[in-house]
Each structure stands twice: as structure tokens, then as C-alpha cells.
Amino acid sequence: MRKLFAVGLVLMLSGCGGGYDSLPPQVIDGNGGTIGAGGTFPTDKGNWKYGSVSNSDGVFSLSARIDAINTYTVPQFPNLNQRSWIELEKRKMAVGTISKRFLIFAPEEVKCTPSCQIRIKFNGGISSYGFLQRVDGVLTPASDELSAELFDKTTQSNSATVYLPIVGLSDEVESEFNLRGYDEDKMKFTGEQ
């Protein structure tokens, strides 16, 4: 029965791609941690999870994920709680530059079709930012410049609160993040200053 469950889970997850279906397999880093497509390696600092993706030319993508410290109730299922998370990504571009990407994942649909203003409080200062929701619950900054700005604010702050207008809830969900312990070294490419 467990084998059938495991096979079913693998088949179910293989249908969820997001464009990562053709990434190379996982590899082992120099410290014995697993890295690669979808892989993470543990950290002793905070609750950040780090990963990287590489090809024959080396590592081309670095990621860091932080989960909210609180949950919210799912509108359709009052006995179920969900937790949002923030994901940061640095990617080597073909022109020799490095892009910075900031994403908010809310496991439920957000009132953001196709765009909206999302309030985020960094270290006590609150501002509104333009976001797009192309896939339910995945919020992307409206521009590359804004994405890089939010990446930097996240890595330079101790805390953040993201105010999410979840579909089916009358009040915004305050997803709180403890950003302490971000390890900048794990998010640097070899040779990057």
C-alpha cells in the first residue's frame, strides 16, 4: 500500500512543473549537502532553506525560501490551515548579469486578477507594491526592478509581514516572517562579489 501511495504521489507531483521539468538531477556539493533541481541543503541559521540548480557549465540558479511563522484558515475547509512562503532566486543571465527574483506563494487564490497592490511591512515600515497573479496563489512583482528591490529588502530586514487578500476571506491575512539568519554566502555564485 505504501508503494502505491509513493508512486501516486510521484505521478501527481510530476504533473506540477512550473517550467522545472527539464532541470538536471541533484548533485552533491563540496560540504556533503544535496543540491540540484528542487534540492536543498540544511542550514544552522534561522529557518531559511537554500538550493541551487546546475548544468554542465556549473550552478546557474540559487534559491532561498522562508516560510511564514503563522498560518491562516482555508475558506472552503475551516479545519485546514495553510502557511504562505517567500522565495528568492538569483539567476545567471546570458548577458553576464545576475537577476534577482522575489515571489510570494499563498496556497490559496488571492484577490489579484490579474494585478493588485500588496502591502508588505519590512522592519515596521509598510508600503504597497504592484503584483501580478498569473497562477493561483503565486504573486510576482509587476516589474524586474521591483522584484530586485523586494529581494534586497527581504535579505536586509529582520522581519516582514505580507498582507494577503485571500479569496473567500473578508479580512487580509497577515503572514509574518522572521527573516533573521539569512546566509548571504549561500546565495553567492563562485567569484561573485
Side-chain angles (χ1 to χ4, degrees):
M1 186 66 171
R2 288 183 186 172
K3 288 181 182 178
L4 286 175
F5 176 74
V7 169
L9 184 60
V10 168
L11 289 173
M12 184 175 67
L13 291 175
S14 67
C16 307
Y20 295 106
D21 295 333
S22 61
L23 292 176
Q26 293 183 345
V27 296
I28 305 300
D29 75 355
N31 299 319
T34 303
I35 58 176
T40 62
F41 46 94
T43 176
D44 55 2
K45 294 181 174 181
N47 294 317
W48 288 94
K49 297 175 187 83
Y50 301 90
S52 65
V53 180
S54 59
N55 59 20
S56 59
D57 295 327
V59 175
F60 66 87
S61 175
L62 299 169
S63 64
R65 172 183 163 159
I66 187 81
D67 293 339
I69 59 175
N70 61 328
T71 60
Y72 60 90
T73 303
V74 175
Q76 297 93 333
F77 306 103
N79 295 328
L80 179 63
N81 289 328
Q82 291 281 31
R83 185 181 313 270
S84 60
W85 69 91
I86 292 173
E87 186 168 304
L88 306 177
E89 181 191 33
K90 287 174 72 175
R91 185 176 286 250
K92 286 185 178 178
M93 306 305 286
V95 293
T97 60
I98 296 173
S99 69
K100 293 179 179 178
R101 192 170 78 154
F102 173 96
L103 293 171
I104 299 171
F105 288 85
E108 301 298 316
E109 185 181 358
V110 178
K111 299 171 191 170
C112 191
T113 309
S115 64
C116 61
Q117 293 290 310
I118 298 291
R119 295 183 307 134
I120 304 176
K121 179 168 51 176
F122 288 104
N123 289 344
I126 192 166
S127 295
S128 291
Y129 303 96
F131 277 85
L132 303 172
Q133 179 181 221
R134 293 188 179 105
V135 176
D136 284 354
V138 181
L139 298 170
T140 308
S143 69
D144 292 341
E145 294 77 18
L146 178 57
S147 195
E149 176 188 339
L150 290 171
F151 182 107
D152 291 340
K153 284 187 175 191
T154 302
T155 61
Q156 296 164 9
S157 299
N158 291 323
S159 64
T161 302
V162 178
Y163 299 86
L164 296 171
I166 302 294
V167 171
L169 296 177
S170 56
D171 295 328
E172 291 177 320
V173 170
E174 295 181 18
S175 288
E176 300 173 10
F177 295 88
N178 176 2
L179 303 177
R180 288 179 175 85
Y182 174 77
D183 191 338
E184 189 176 357
D185 290 337
K186 286 190 169 77
M187 288 292 284
K188 280 188 178 177
F189 293 105
T190 304
E192 183 185 353
Q193 299 297 319

